[in-house]
Amino acid sequence: MNPLDAAEAELDYLLSLDEAQRIAALALLDACDPALAAKVRVWLQAMSASEGFMESTSRCARAQHQRVGAWRLLHAIGQGGMGEVWLAERADEVFEKQVAIKFLRSADADAMRRFDSERRLLARLEHPAIARLLDGGIDAVAGPYLVTEWIDGCALDVWAAQTRPSLDLCLNLFRQIAEAVAYAHSLLVVHRDIKPGNVLVDRAQRPRLLDFGIARLTEADGALAETRDQALTPRHAAPEQLSGGSVSTRTDVYALGDLLYRLLTGRGPLDLDAVALAELVRRICHEVPTAPSRVSRRSNWPLPDDLDAIVLKALDKAPEHRYASVDALLADLDAFRRGAPVAARSGGRVYRMRRFVGQHRLGVAVALLLSLSIATGVVATLWQAQAARREAARATAVKDFLLQVFASIDPERAKGRKVLAEELVRQGEERIATELSGTPELQYELLDMLSDMRLKLGQPEPRLQNLEQLCPIAESSFGRDSVEALDCRIELADAYRALSRFDDAAATLQPVLQAARDVLPPQPLMIAQAMAVEFLLAQDMGRNTEAERIVRAAIAIGREAEAGGGAQTASLLEHLAVFLGAQGRTDEAVPLLDEIVRFDVAQPHARSAADQINSRWNKLTNLWARHKFAQVVDGSNTLADFTAAKLGRNHPHYFRALQLRGIAQGRLGSYQDAVATLESALAIENMAEWSDGRHQQVLSADLALLLPALGRNADTLKLAEQTLQLTDGHQLAPSPAFISSYAAVFAALALGDDVAIQRWSDELERRFAALPENEQGGRRNSLLQARAAGLRVAGHAAAAMPVLDELVRGYQRADGGSTLNMERLRAERAFTLIDLGQFAAAALELRAVRDLLLLRFGDAHVAVAQIEVALAVLPGSFSLADERARRDSAEQRFRAATGRAADRLRLL
């Protein structure tokens, strides 16, 4: 096992422990090997009796406050296996500086050789995360010494325990340490003793790697020039260091894995406290660490599966199975933080699809980023063994194929327009069919990517065609019951479902569920994924009770497989939340969405930014359905900030968050804020190009509906014209055209423009008549309300009243009489009663509407103020002082919200 004598090895190990640990380890050694324990005790007693080895004072102590070279010693600050470390200051007054001076404990030839090696190594290393060598020499009293920069900080494990850092901070700090190790490796230097005590973290949260005392130069092939030296810390050593194996750069990879494990969990990967050296060696060489996520309850955040895989790959017992380099480890950590697939995790197609689709946007930029990431992966795999080189060759083929697809796009044919993702996908599909028939694995990789892009493009037919080609390739290349083949059939079933081919979907899905259960070991997450498609299928077929049972069972499987919750469980919870929200069960849906958001906050890299944004959006739509508009405003503020940080401000998701905030502010009566929000959304660069102008169409209609509340009636008419042009020019959905035309009618009424009133009333009539008969019912109310308003303003209040009564009855039948539309109509009806001189009936109606609005929004809402102004000026009201005061207060509130005097044309 260990090439050193057992007693000497046990002694070295005991000297690395503190006093309490040493006593416990000796007691255990007594029980296991009394003879060896007795021999070690004799040595310990002899060494403690010798000057300065076990005592707190040493032979350096007599040099306290004396000079060592150009430095004055202040006090001892630590001791290690090779020597003591003192704090010192410059003594020759050339400049003021505090430093750390390391003295050699033993003066034998081997120790002197190691010490001189550290001095030469440190002189070569110039990196911001490595403590710099400043000076060195041999003092007549104190012996050999090194002078390094003084780091005013604490050891890494102490820092982590005291500060309880966030996951991002831990990973950022670890990256700096790993980059320092990679830098040392680039100079053919292996540290060999990386541990928390050899990393100091300063007050600015910057780490410094210390103690290259047992570092060794590597040969050009990566093997160590020397491997015999055993001056190391056993509990942090790699298996090959303890078993006498070859030590290489992968030894430092293991130590970095140990360091990352401790950062993430607050404990070591194995229980090594107070055990004899022989037992410690056995555990390190043979026991598999528990995944960090299983012990993450001891830390202040949960850990995703991908991070587990990265840490455990770095800690693999066999060096050849670890990351081949620190750069490869860092590349996987970067992929994890981007939400991309990690090399350490052998995920199937579902895993890769989720990572791929979540990470990339559509379009040429998407494909280019993808090809660049593949190119980066090829560079990283140069460090890998033969199997990894085969994977690199395949990745190169994928990259070259994609680049050829880009090159095949004719710039002249494009004529300056943006190349669409759809065109790139189509070109790729054509080339796969004609050029890659003899390379099934490459066909699989490319068809997998292209079917994912078809899914993102919302093109079910081409997606199905790709999957129908892909699944036979997966079965022949990987096996019928392989993860790849089963994943592909799950996606194929979903593709059939999306095209309403329900029988084909069910026939494809059921064998997959059975196979996933029969695979040894079972694949619970695959079963849950298949059940998610089964749930969607049942829902699409109207079997809601069955659908809910299936998705709840899938959630239970996901929770068990992901130790309480993970990315796939979050996806299943979202399925259930959307299902419940669609049934009006928003009180049940919102807590599920809250759980998903909490998971995303705790594990920000577990799901893609798009998935996280979508979950937050679904929560807000459920709050909207419950008329929780104040919560919607707060939530959309947070969503907008989150989206801007993740995707930037020039993105449809950011626009959508602003739009929701604006219309929620409008519902709360904050018209000025609402208009400002929507106008800022309208100013987003390139927004007019998204979805062929659909985003601009919807936003123009929303603004047109709000601007009359601020008296900006002319602007309303312009936006209404713009909405119609976008609707007709791009053949977009008709709803925004109805909304903006309806707003234009009110704006024209406010302006008293008879020509505009007639023009927009006719526009509503024309668009209503052009609708298919089965769609006319949903637009009828807008048309009737515009007619009633036009009749009233034209002085025909008596003719307007039957129209308003018909509308009120329609809303009562449809919504039960408690909606904003109903309240708007009742207010309009009350104002018509005023025109007819029926003041008492009008007052009753207005007070009823005001009371409903007070319950829903409070007295800050502008519509409440507007109604109170109207109530205060009704005949008979001026005799009441409190009514006059109430009217004045309401007028002030209305002016504050809209910037103009109250009127009765616009309420909600």
Side-chain angles (χ1 to χ4, degrees):
M1 186 181 69
N2 196 315
L4 297 182
D5 174 78
E8 184 179 350
E10 196 70 51
L11 179 66
D12 284 344
Y13 168 61
L14 290 171
L15 290 175
S16 71
L17 305 178
D18 61 33
E19 185 175 357
Q21 291 172 329
R22 189 180 304 126
I23 292 170
L26 268 172
L28 187 57
L29 186 61
D30 266 330
C32 298
D33 192 338
L36 179 60
K39 185 176 181 180
V40 170
R41 271 202 173 83
V42 171
W43 285 17
L44 279 172
Q45 290 169 359
M47 296 178 75
S48 64
S50 68
E51 181 183 1
F53 201 88
M54 297 292 293
E55 304 294 334
S56 59
T57 58
S58 72
R59 67 192 184 90
C60 297
R62 62 177 176 268
Q64 187 173 3
H65 302 301
Q66 296 182 4
R67 286 179 54 154
V68 174
W71 308 94
R72 179 183 296 111
L73 300 179
L74 298 177
H75 57 82
I77 55 176
Q79 56 183 346
M82 285 183 60
E84 292 183 346
V85 182
W86 283 62
L87 181 66
E89 63 184 4
R90 189 79 181 187
D92 57 8
E93 299 182 353
V94 174
F95 55 85
E96 293 184 6
K97 186 177 185 66
Q98 288 192 330
V99 295
I101 299 185
K102 181 176 181 179
F103 294 99
L104 189 64
R105 185 184 297 282
S106 173
D108 61 53
D110 189 58
M112 289 290 288
R113 175 178 54 80
R114 291 202 306 268
F115 195 83
D116 185 59
S117 172
E118 180 173 9
R119 179 178 175 180
R120 288 186 290 107
L121 289 175
L122 279 174
R124 297 175 58 188
L125 302 178
E126 287 285 343
H127 189 277
I130 295 176
R132 287 192 304 118
L133 175 67
L134 303 175
D135 196 0
I138 300 177
D139 182 80
V141 176
Y145 65 91
L146 290 176
V147 181
T148 63
E149 64 175 318
W150 160 243
I151 311 300
D152 184 12
C154 59
L156 183 66
D157 51 351
V158 176
W159 169 82
Q162 291 176 347
T163 62
R164 295 180 63 81
S166 67
L167 178 59
D168 274 346
L169 181 55
C170 276
L171 294 180
N172 288 338
L173 189 134
F174 177 79
R175 165 169 268 286
Q176 296 174 62
I177 300 166
E179 286 175 344
V181 176
Y183 164 77
H185 288 181
S186 72
L187 298 179
L188 304 182
V189 175
V190 181
H191 190 285
R192 300 205 303 168
D193 195 25
I194 299 169
K195 59 185 180 182
N198 277 341
V199 179
L200 292 182
V201 183
D202 66 18
R203 297 179 186 278
Q205 314 281 29
R206 295 173 303 185
R208 298 289 200 288
L209 185 59
L210 314 174
D211 203 351
F212 277 79
I214 65 165
R216 280 292 173 268
L217 297 178
T218 62
E219 302 292 357
D221 63 359
L224 282 176
E226 301 178 56
T227 61
R228 168 78 184 179
D229 198 335
Q230 295 298 314
L232 50 81
T233 309
R235 68 178 57 248
H236 299 287
E240 63 269 23
Q241 288 177 287
L242 297 174
S243 63
S246 178
V247 178
S248 69
T249 54
R250 297 185 194 227
T251 303
D252 280 353
V253 169
Y254 180 93
L256 286 171
D258 178 271
L259 204 67
L260 182 55
Y261 194 107
R262 293 171 186 274
L263 268 176
L264 296 176
T265 67
R267 51 165 281 185
L270 298 170
D271 182 8
L272 303 175
D273 291 338
V275 297
L277 180 60
E279 175 62 13
L280 178 143
V281 171
R282 186 197 68 76
R283 293 185 186 184
I284 289 179
C285 292
H286 300 291
E287 282 194 7
V288 177
T290 303
S293 63
R294 297 292 181 88
V295 296
S296 65
R297 292 181 181 86
R298 300 188 183 184
S299 64
N300 56 332
W301 16 251
L303 303 174
D305 294 343
D306 283 1
L307 202 50
D308 278 349
I310 291 170
V311 175
L312 294 179
K313 182 176 177 67
L315 287 171
D316 200 288
K317 305 300 179 188
E320 63 272 18
H321 294 157
R322 294 176 206 147
Y323 290 102
S325 68
V326 178
D327 286 333
L329 167 61
L330 286 172
D332 238 8
L333 274 175
D334 287 345
F336 159 72
R337 299 184 78 175
R338 293 195 311 271
V342 298
R345 185 173 174 190
S346 55
R349 185 172 182 280
V350 173
Y351 166 75
R352 293 196 307 278
M353 182 185 76
R354 186 170 66 246
R355 291 301 190 196
F356 177 85
V357 173
Q359 183 189 9
H360 300 289
R361 303 181 191 178
L362 298 177
V364 175
V366 179
L368 287 173
L369 286 173
L370 174 62
S371 67
L372 289 174
S373 69
I374 294 172
T376 304
V378 172
V379 174
T381 55
L382 294 177
W383 291 87
Q384 305 299 321
Q386 184 61 34
R389 285 196 292 272
R390 288 198 301 269
E391 183 67 24
R394 189 169 68 182
T396 301
V398 173
K399 178 199 70 173
D400 291 343
F401 179 87
L402 289 173
L403 292 175
Q404 290 168 18
V405 170
F406 303 148
S408 70
I409 301 297
D410 184 356
E412 176 61 27
R413 183 163 55 85
K415 297 187 183 300
R417 65 176 170 80
K418 291 186 177 181
V419 179
L420 298 177
E422 181 179 356
E423 186 169 357
L424 287 170
V425 173
R426 182 181 55 77
Q427 290 272 354
E429 289 165 345
E430 291 174 357
R431 293 176 69 93
I432 288 172
T434 58
E435 301 175 17
L436 301 179
S437 58
T439 54
E441 287 194 2
L442 186 55
Q443 279 186 304
Y444 174 83
E445 292 287 347
L446 291 165
L447 282 169
D448 187 14
M449 294 177 186
L450 295 177
S451 64
D452 293 343
M453 293 189 75
R454 288 294 191 185
L455 174 66
K456 191 68 173 177
L457 285 164
Q459 298 173 335
E461 284 282 5
R463 177 196 177 206
L464 176 61
Q465 293 169 10
N466 284 338
L467 288 167
E468 287 178 331
Q469 296 179 60
L470 182 65
C471 289
I473 295 172
E475 291 177 9
S476 62
S477 299
F478 304 104
R480 179 171 177 79
D481 291 333
S482 65
V483 169
E484 289 81 2
L486 295 177
D487 281 345
C488 186
R489 278 185 270 162
I490 291 172
E491 292 303 311
L492 180 61
D494 186 58
Y496 284 133
R497 179 199 63 80
L499 290 167
S500 300
R501 293 173 57 176
F502 300 142
D503 291 342
D504 290 334
T508 303
L509 193 61
Q510 290 309 315
V512 176
L513 282 165
Q514 189 59 50
R517 294 185 177 104
D518 292 343
V519 171
L520 296 176
Q523 300 285 328
L525 290 181
M526 183 180 294
I527 293 171
Q529 181 69 16
M531 291 177 70
V533 177
E534 188 181 23
F535 153 74
L536 293 171
L537 181 60
Q539 184 183 24
D540 290 347
M541 297 175 70
R543 302 200 299 260
N544 287 342
T545 302
E546 179 185 352
E548 185 172 350
R549 176 187 58 78
I550 292 169
V551 74
R552 289 189 184 278
I555 289 168
I557 292 172
R559 287 195 191 280
E560 183 175 357
E562 295 184 312
Q568 190 147 327
T569 303
S571 176
L572 292 165
L573 287 170
E574 186 144 24
H575 278 313
L576 178 56
V578 172
F579 171 81
L580 294 172
Q583 292 189 325
R585 296 160 63 183
T586 55
D587 288 346
E588 297 175 65
V590 170
L592 298 176
L593 293 162
D594 282 334
E595 180 180 349
I596 298 170
V597 173
R598 287 194 300 272
F599 170 79
D600 289 337
V601 171
Q603 299 193 37
H605 302 292
R607 301 202 308 150
S608 70
D611 285 343
Q612 295 184 51
I613 289 167
N614 197 57
S615 297
R616 295 173 186 229
W617 174 266
N618 283 331
K619 176 184 174 181
L620 294 178
T621 58
N622 277 275
L623 291 172
W624 181 280
R626 295 165 64 184
H627 295 167
K628 304 289 186 180
F629 300 120
Q631 293 181 42
V632 171
V633 170
D634 291 341
S636 56
N637 285 336
T638 303
L639 179 58
D641 292 342
F642 180 83
T643 305
K646 295 289 185 180
L647 303 177
R649 294 178 181 273
N650 188 27
H651 193 281
H653 284 315
Y654 179 69
F655 156 82
R656 190 170 69 160
L658 288 185
Q659 182 192 26
L660 181 63
R661 181 172 73 190
I663 57 178
Q665 287 169 329
R667 286 298 178 96
L668 290 170
S670 303
Y671 294 134
Q672 289 180 322
D673 291 340
V675 169
T677 298
L678 295 181
E679 286 182 332
S680 68
L682 196 60
I684 293 176
E685 184 182 359
N686 297 327
M687 189 268 291
E689 301 176 17
W690 298 339
S691 302
D692 292 327
R694 182 178 62 83
H695 291 79
Q696 189 177 20
Q697 175 214 27
V698 172
L699 190 58
S700 298
D702 287 338
L703 264 173
L705 200 61
L706 285 169
L707 286 176
L710 301 182
R712 293 173 55 182
N713 299 297
D715 290 338
T716 298
L717 298 180
K718 291 177 184 177
L719 279 171
E721 291 286 4
Q722 178 176 296
T723 307
L724 297 191
Q725 291 170 7
L726 288 165
T727 303
D728 298 338
H730 296 285
Q731 296 183 332
L732 301 176
S735 293
F738 272 94
I739 292 170
S740 60
S741 298
Y742 174 76
V745 170
F746 278 83
L749 289 168
L751 291 169
D753 186 338
D754 293 338
V755 174
I757 292 170
Q758 190 64 47
R759 181 256 190 276
W760 287 105
S761 298
D762 292 345
E763 186 66 45
L764 273 175
E765 290 274 8
R766 184 179 69 81
R767 290 187 177 271
F768 180 80
L771 286 174
E773 187 173 346
N774 62 346
E775 295 181 21
Q776 289 187 8
R779 310 294 176 195
R780 180 172 176 77
N781 291 340
S782 296
L783 184 61
L784 289 176
Q785 193 162 353
R787 282 181 184 169
L791 288 168
R792 184 172 64 80
V793 171
H796 305 300
M801 185 60 74
V803 179
L804 290 169
D805 288 340
E806 180 184 349
L807 281 167
V808 169
R809 286 192 297 271
Y811 276 116
Q812 284 176 330
R813 287 192 299 269
D815 301 318
S818 181
T819 67
L820 286 172
N821 284 328
M822 171 64 112
E823 287 146 21
R824 180 187 294 114
L825 281 171
R826 291 181 66 185
E828 182 67 28
R829 187 175 179 279
F831 289 129
T832 307
L833 288 171
I834 292 173
D835 291 340
L836 292 172
Q838 300 179 30
F839 304 128
L844 286 173
E845 193 80 283
L846 286 175
R847 287 192 178 98
V849 173
R850 180 195 63 189
D851 292 344
L852 288 171
L853 293 175
L854 280 169
L855 285 173
R856 184 169 292 168
F857 301 117
D859 63 2
H861 197 284
V862 66
V864 174
Q866 196 169 16
I867 290 174
E868 287 180 347
V869 170
L871 285 169
V873 299
L874 285 175
S877 297
F878 283 113
S879 60
L880 300 175
D882 60 333
E883 287 289 346
R884 287 197 297 273
R886 190 180 185 91
R887 184 237 169 135
D888 292 342
S889 174
E891 179 66 44
Q892 290 174 5
R893 296 202 308 276
F894 187 88
R895 283 185 179 275
T898 66
R900 63 193 184 89
D903 58 37
R904 64 190 198 199
L905 290 176
R906 172 75 188 196
L907 286 174
L908 299 170

